[in-house]
């Protein structure tokens, strides 16, 4: 008989993660139907997957497709696969130990590691929130014609949305976000598989996925950005906390069932996220790569250049389906929804790492406001000094920062789930351990390989020129 969850992981040393959401969703017993169990356990991975489809993903995928056609599609596929392995590990840690990753690091590692780990997480969350600021600002600009500088300022007030949604509980948050994800997914599905003029050569796509290369200048930098946008460090902390929103039991059968259904939830949700990200890159390649320009709804002609701010004209990827005018509106709404959804998960992740590492508690609206102000400041500075054509550069830079932070979350996570000391008989099996550690090493190696280029491009984004 396996050790019980409670006997292996006493909770006296750590307060509960996300106290107001902990254990609020009931799960049925083993006798319930498969679909009923799926519905009860499903949700945490969908909430986490929002971070895999945020404006940062849109920015890096758009830049990858517009600049290199399908050359970086293999990066989207590989990083999505690695994300599935790592999020499965995160969910397993939360189910088995009853601790999120931040709590586990605090309880099982030396006390001196708390501050650097927490600060690294906060930098990652601020970098992610910078992407949400920029995406929401572009959406506001497209919808209302407000200049980007002032649109960035307006994004500070999204704290009101968070407060409104949290009142309705975890299930409502998961439902709202799922509908938003489905909407944009359906639009891209129709363009790729139904409309003749935007249907790609699927054989060419397959060859691109199976032929990895970073030979062209700048590819490594964008590839690191795509990885950072896909495998987000704070999501590894968040997922291990969100699975505890279910009323999990400590007996052997219940733990095994929770692990299985959370693994299924992660695989399905992140596979959908891969399809959305791949669609964005493919449609960007079809719309922008090798083209000299396009005509806007107003009749204005715009030139496509190497330094074009792709995120601001990305709605053109939907114009074959919807027409330019309506595409602009729908894209803006979807981008705004993407930014706001990710804002919610970013706030929850911020609460998890602050409470887990430091045992500090803060009201969600105050936490949200501080994080948003930290994200707004660099956006205001760079857009104010360099103008409105720097949004894609900022988006990509924010995702590169996330990628560089990733090893600090991956190594502890894989250490815990690979260890019998912490996981007992529920430690990850050989396949998940192998896949997880391989992903960790590959991402770290790519970070190191691309670091010189990343630092040079980061300096360029900051100082211009």
């Amino acid at each position: 008989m396996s050790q019980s969850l409670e006997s292996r992981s006493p909770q006296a040393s750590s307060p509960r993660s996300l106290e107001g959401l902990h254990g609020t969703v009931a799960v049925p017993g083993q006798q319930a139907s498969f679909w009923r169990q799926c519905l009860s356990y499903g949700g945490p991975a969908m909430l986490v997957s929002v971070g895999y489809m945020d404006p940062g993903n849109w920015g890096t995928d758009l830049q990858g497709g517009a600049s290199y056609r399908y050359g970086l599609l293999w990066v989207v596929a590989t990083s999505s696969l690695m994300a599935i392995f790592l999020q499965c590990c995160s969910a397993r840690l939360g189910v088995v130990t009853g601790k999120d990753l931040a709590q586990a690091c605090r309880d099982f590692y030396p006390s001196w590691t708390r501050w650097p780990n927490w600060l690294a997480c906060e930098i990652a969350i601020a970098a992610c929130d910078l992407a949400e600021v920029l995406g929401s600002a572009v959406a506001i600009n497209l919808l209302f014609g407000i200049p980007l500088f002032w649109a960035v300022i307006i994004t500070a007030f999204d704290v009101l949305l968070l407060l409104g949604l949290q009142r309705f509980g975890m299930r409502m948050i998961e439902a709202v976000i799922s509908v938003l994800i489905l909407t944009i997914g359906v639009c891209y599905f129709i363009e790729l598989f139904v409309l003749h003029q935007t249907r790609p050569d699927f054989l060419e796509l397959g060859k691109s996925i199976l032929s990895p290369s970073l030979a062209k200048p700048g590819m490594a930098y964008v590839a690191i950005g795509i990885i950072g946008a896909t495998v987000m460090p704070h999501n590894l902390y968040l997922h291990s906390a969100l699975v505890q929103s279910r009323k999990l039991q400590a007996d052997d059968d219940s733990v095994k069932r929770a692990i299985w259904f959370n693994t299924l939830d992660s695989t399905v949700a992140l596979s959908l996220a891969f399809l959305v990200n791949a669609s964005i890159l493919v449609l960007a390649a079809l719309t922008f790569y090798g083209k000299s320009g396009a005509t806007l709804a107003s009749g204005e002609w715009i030139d496509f250049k190497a330094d074009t701010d792709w995120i601001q004209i990305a709605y053109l990827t939907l114009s074959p389906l919807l027409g330019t005018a309506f595409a602009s509106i729908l894209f803006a709404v979807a981008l705004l929804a993407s930014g706001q959804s990710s804002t919610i998960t970013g706030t929850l992740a911020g609460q998890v790492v602050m409470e887990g590492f430091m045992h500090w508690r803060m009201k969600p609206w105050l936490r949200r406001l501080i994080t948003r102000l930290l994200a707004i400041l660099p956006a205001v500075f760079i857009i104010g000094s360099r103008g409105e054509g720097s949004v894609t550069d900022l988006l990509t830079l924010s995702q590169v920062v996330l990628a560089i932070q990733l090893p600090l979350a991956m190594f502890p996570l894989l250490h815990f789930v690979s260890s019998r000391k912490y996981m007992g008989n529920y430690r990850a099996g050989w396949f998940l351990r192998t896949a997880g550690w391989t992903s960790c090493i590959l991402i770290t190696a790519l970070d190191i390989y691309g670091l010189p280029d990343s630092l040079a491009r980061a300096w360029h984004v900051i100082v211009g020129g």
Side-chain angles (χ1 to χ4, degrees), residues 130-142:
L130 173 58
E132 325 315 351
V133 165
L134 295 169
S136 298
V138 169
I140 293 169
N141 171 260
L142 288 172

Side-chain angles (χ1 to χ4, degrees), residues 21-39:
L21 301 174
H22 193 283
T24 57
V25 180
V27 293
Q30 191 171 6
Q31 71 281 359
S33 69
F34 171 81
W35 290 111
R36 189 181 168 203
Q37 293 191 70
C38 273
L39 289 173

Side-chain angles (χ1 to χ4, degrees), residues 18 22 55 74 83 91 158 174 230 233 246 287 295 300 306 321 335 368 386 399 417 436:
L18 302 175
H22 193 283
W74 70 271
D158 72 358
E174 292 170 353
T230 305
R246 272 57 184 168
T287 306
T295 304
E300 176 189 358
L321 174 64
L335 187 60
R368 172 76 247 126
R386 290 185 53 197
Q399 306 312 298
V417 299

Side-chain angles (χ1 to χ4, degrees), residues 84 88 91-92 258-268 432:
I84 291 174
C88 286
R92 178 181 287 259
I259 290 173
W260 195 90
F261 278 103
N262 276 291
T263 299
L264 179 63
D265 186 36
S266 301
T267 303
V268 171
L432 187 56

